[in-house]
């Protein structure tokens, strides 16, 4: 017998991969996990007959010749299946989109690629072989890709993910159904937890980062807490969020964390407590500690271990071109043209920034035919300025609030630099780090 399975606690990408394995390798039977991820339960319940799953215990009487494993390459995530395989020499082929250099399943042949969803990798194979899907199968696969790529927006998304999505639409996938399976919060427990968090959470500025914290006591573990945490993250947009869930009767704390900044490396922070994950998403289970005491200890640790947030002075452009307020609009116009700029800060006799003159201001003077008028008559004022110590969050807020794309940075009444839209966008691009 030949079998195929994904990781324990099957999620949507796992199911999307398996439905394509069934088409690509019809001589293989699919095996299900005892655990279905809460986000995948709805889809699983409705479509289980399309998979025709075996139970792991059905394997115990069989001789297994070939195994295909999808969406994981870690032995600890396939233990429930492998312990049911009685013979010792099956050939194992792994198709995974995670970091396959970390694979610890001995003797396996591994393939895969850096695509956002594992389903996309298999979808590409199916596309190239001219395989046709039923619309239900296409819907299952498309849900898998949308789920694992945050609807095609995560950093690990590749061209292949888009290509396979287009192909799945051609195969009749229903976006309406996909959307219904992606509604992340379905359980009443999750909804109650979400509203409790929204009422009790606090934001603290730690080392210049905006850190969201919530602490909740719960009677027992609630499935799908990480989905709730991600929802809160979507609503609040902090730089990082640490959600504490404490179960008093077992003295257990679940700490779930999400970050939007490469500078806040969650794997590193939670590793200390026996947890881990990725740099932007990690969790830890802390046992035999009092919840409130642990919460306080963790906060103190954050203060000392977070590296400081980027500030305006770290990314500003120095050597700023300027113009004097008594210069004429014509001179300002020539300066902008020569320097290929769209605007410059305006200085008075004390070299203080008194305003900003841009192409649009000059245009008004040109229309009124007063190009010999002084800059100070047409500049935007009062000057919107900031100190070098402002955080990037504050810079962003000032850009939006004042509808500007440039922020002169001033120390001791003297201009020391400027943060432009371009500086800001470069900073944002670097934010979440490498493409993992
Ligand atoms: Mn996956």
């Amino acid at each position: 017998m030949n079998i195929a399975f994904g990781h324990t606690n099957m999620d949507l990408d796992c199911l999307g991969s398996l439905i394509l394995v069934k088409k690509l390798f019809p001589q293989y039977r699919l095996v299900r996990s005892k655990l279905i991820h809460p986000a995948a339960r709805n889809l699983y319940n409705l479509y289980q007959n399309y998979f025709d799953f075996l139970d792991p215990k059905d394997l115990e009487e069989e001789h297994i010749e070939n195994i295909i494993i999808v969406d994981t390459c870690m032995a600890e995530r396939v233990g429930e299946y492998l312990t049911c395989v009685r013979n010792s020499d099956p050939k194992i082929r792994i198709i995974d989109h995670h970091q396959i250099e970390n694979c610890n399943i001995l003797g396996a042949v591994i393939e895969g690629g850096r695509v956002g969803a594992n389903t996309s990798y298999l979808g590409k194979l199916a596309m190239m072989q001219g395989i046709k899907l039923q619309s239900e199968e296409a819907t299952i696969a498309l849900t898998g890709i949308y789920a694992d790529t945050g609807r095609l927006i995560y950093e690990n998304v590749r061209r292949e993910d888009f290509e396979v999505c287009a192909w799945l639409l051609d195969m009749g996938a229903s976006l309406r159904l996909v959307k219904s399976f992606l509604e992340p919060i379905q359980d009443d427990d999750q909804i109650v937890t979400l509203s409790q968090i929204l009422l009790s959470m606090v934001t603290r500025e730690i080392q210049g980062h905006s850190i969201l914290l919530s602490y909740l006591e719960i009677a027992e573990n609630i499935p799908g807490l990480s989905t709730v945490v991600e929802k809160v993250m979507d609503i609040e947009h902090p730089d990082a969020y640490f959600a504490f869930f404490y179960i008093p009767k077992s003295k257990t704390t679940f700490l779930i964390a999400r970050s939007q900044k490469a500078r806040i490396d969650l794997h590193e922070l939670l590793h200390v407590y026996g947890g881990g994950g990725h740099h932007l998403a990690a969790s830890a289970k802390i046992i035999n500690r009092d919840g409130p005491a642990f919460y306080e200890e963790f906060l103190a640790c954050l203060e000392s271990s977070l590296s400081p947030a980027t500030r305006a002075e770290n990314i500003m452009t120095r050597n700023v071109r300027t113009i004097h307020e008594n210069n004429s609009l014509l001179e300002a116009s020539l300066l902008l043209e020569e320097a290929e700029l769209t605007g410059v800060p305006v200085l008075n006799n004390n070299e203080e920034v008194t305003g900003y003159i841009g192409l649009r201001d000059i245009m008004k003077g040109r229309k009124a035919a007063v190009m010999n008028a002084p800059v100070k008559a047409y500049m935007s004022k009062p000057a919107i300025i900031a100190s070098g110590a402002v955080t990037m969050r504050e810079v962003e807020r000032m850009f939006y609030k004042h509808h500007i794309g440039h922020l002169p940075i001033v120390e001791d009444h003297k201009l020391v630099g400027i943060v432009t839209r371009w500086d800001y966008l470069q900073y944002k691009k670097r934010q979440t780090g490498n493409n993992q």
Side-chain angles (χ1 to χ4, degrees):
M1 183 187 252
N2 302 320
I3 55 169
F5 48 79
H7 48 78
T8 189
N9 202 13
M10 296 193 292
D11 61 11
L12 289 165
D13 187 32
C14 187
L15 291 171
S17 299
L18 289 172
I19 204 71
L20 294 178
V21 164
K22 195 163 176 245
K23 305 296 281 195
L24 281 159
F25 309 98
Q27 65 284 28
Y28 283 67
R29 289 293 306 273
L30 304 181
V31 187
R32 75 164 149 248
S33 166
K34 283 194 291 288
L35 290 167
I36 314 285
H37 192 279
R41 260 182 224 151
N42 218 355
L43 177 137
Y44 176 79
N45 287 340
L46 288 161
Y47 286 129
Q48 30 179 306
N49 51 335
Y50 285 89
F51 294 92
D52 192 20
F53 276 121
L54 293 175
D55 212 72
K57 66 177 189 302
D58 299 333
L59 306 177
E60 290 177 359
E61 306 293 309
E62 302 284 343
H63 183 87
I64 307 299
E65 280 154 39
N66 295 289
I67 298 178
I68 291 176
I69 300 176
V70 292
D71 202 24
T72 184
C73 55
M74 306 305 289
E76 55 275 23
R77 301 199 73 200
V78 292
E80 65 168 316
Y81 312 96
L82 288 182
T83 51
C84 293
V85 174
R86 293 294 179 230
N87 53 298
S88 59
D89 54 349
K91 288 200 186 70
I92 301 180
R93 175 175 176 183
I94 297 175
I95 302 171
D96 185 25
H97 69 135
H98 295 100
Q99 287 186 323
I100 48 185
E101 52 276 19
N102 297 338
C103 178
N104 61 358
I105 299 171
L106 295 178
V109 178
I110 313 176
E111 67 188 283
R114 296 230 155 171
V115 283
N118 200 60
T119 307
S120 304
Y121 184 84
L122 288 151
K124 184 89 190 196
L125 293 181
M127 265 171 83
M128 292 190 305
Q129 294 184 21
I131 285 174
K132 297 272 177 277
L133 302 183
Q134 298 179 52
S135 63
E136 290 77 7
E137 294 164 335
T139 298
I140 295 167
L142 189 58
T143 307
I145 298 176
Y146 268 41
D148 241 37
T149 59
R151 308 188 188 193
L152 297 169
I153 201 77
Y154 290 164
E155 303 217 339
N156 55 2
V157 170
R158 294 288 176 274
R159 181 192 172 85
E160 287 82 352
D161 294 291
F162 286 95
E163 280 179 69
V164 173
C165 286
W167 173 69
L168 291 170
L169 271 186
D170 289 344
M171 291 291 126
S174 158
L175 282 172
R176 183 171 296 189
L177 284 174
V178 170
K179 182 167 187 286
S180 76
F181 295 130
L182 291 173
E183 287 308 332
I185 299 222
Q186 283 156 350
D187 279 14
D188 287 350
D189 281 348
Q190 287 178 308
I191 293 168
V192 170
T193 308
L194 175 65
S195 56
Q196 286 176 332
I197 289 175
L198 292 176
L199 287 171
S200 64
M201 66 194 178
V202 291
T203 302
R204 290 219 192 151
E205 189 172 311
I206 302 179
Q207 298 282 8
H209 306 285
S210 162
I211 305 290
L212 185 68
L213 299 156
S214 69
Y215 176 89
L216 225 59
E217 291 196 354
I218 53 179
E220 56 200 332
N221 193 9
I222 299 166
L225 282 177
S226 59
T227 317
V228 176
V229 167
E230 272 155 26
K231 193 86 191 170
V232 175
M233 195 76 188
D234 281 348
I235 298 170
E236 293 295 315
H237 283 295
D239 294 330
Y241 174 28
F242 296 91
F244 294 75
F245 300 97
Y246 180 57
I247 306 174
K249 72 170 181 227
S250 58
K251 285 190 111 182
T252 304
T253 302
F254 292 99
L255 170 53
I256 303 175
R258 294 292 182 269
S259 160
Q260 301 203 63
K261 283 182 165 180
R263 259 182 196 226
I264 307 178
D265 185 337
L266 298 175
H267 178 76
E268 192 114 339
L269 282 168
L270 268 54
H271 198 65
V272 183
Y273 301 98
H278 308 280
H279 61 290
L280 301 179
S283 58
K285 179 179 175 183
I286 298 96
I287 48 172
N288 290 325
R289 289 289 314 268
D290 245 16
F294 175 68
Y295 178 74
E296 291 305 328
E297 178 196 306
F298 187 84
L299 279 195
C301 160
L302 266 189
E303 298 273 359
S304 61
S305 52
L306 278 187
S307 50
T310 305
R311 296 177 186 275
E313 63 199 2
N314 303 126
I315 69 147
M316 69 187 182
T317 304
R318 293 158 203 274
N319 302 323
V320 192
R321 299 294 294 262
T322 59
I323 196 158
H324 193 277
E325 59 183 14
N326 290 334
N327 280 112
S328 70
L329 288 180
L330 183 63
E331 286 165 322
S333 166
L334 292 172
L335 168 68
L336 294 187
E337 195 176 336
E338 176 258 316
E340 294 182 7
L341 292 168
T342 57
V344 286
V346 180
L347 304 183
N348 65 10
N349 285 337
N350 297 326
E351 290 186 36
E352 291 161 344
V353 181
T354 52
Y356 192 88
I357 186 98
L359 288 173
R360 216 171 294 156
D361 307 312
I362 294 173
M363 199 60 108
K364 283 183 207 152
R366 183 163 290 148
K367 277 192 187 144
V370 287
M371 290 300 280
N372 55 350
V375 161
K376 66 179 168 196
Y378 278 84
M379 68 186 185
S380 321
K381 60 195 167 199
I384 315 281
I385 54 171
S387 87
V390 296
T391 62
M392 294 313 292
R393 189 165 273 264
E394 181 68 9
V395 169
E396 181 181 275
R397 204 187 58 78
M398 292 179 82
F399 275 8
Y400 285 120
K401 186 174 168 207
H402 301 290
H403 306 289
I404 54 173
H406 42 76
L407 185 61
I409 303 299
V410 171
E411 299 292 352
D412 294 327
H413 305 287
K414 292 280 175 292
L415 181 69
V416 293
I418 191 164
V419 176
T420 64
R421 273 191 202 102
W422 192 85
D423 299 321
Y424 174 74
L425 287 172
Q426 299 312 306
Y427 158 80
K428 286 296 264 190
K429 266 201 269 179
R430 287 193 306 268
Q431 260 314 278
T432 38
N434 52 4
N435 284 343
Q436 288 292 310

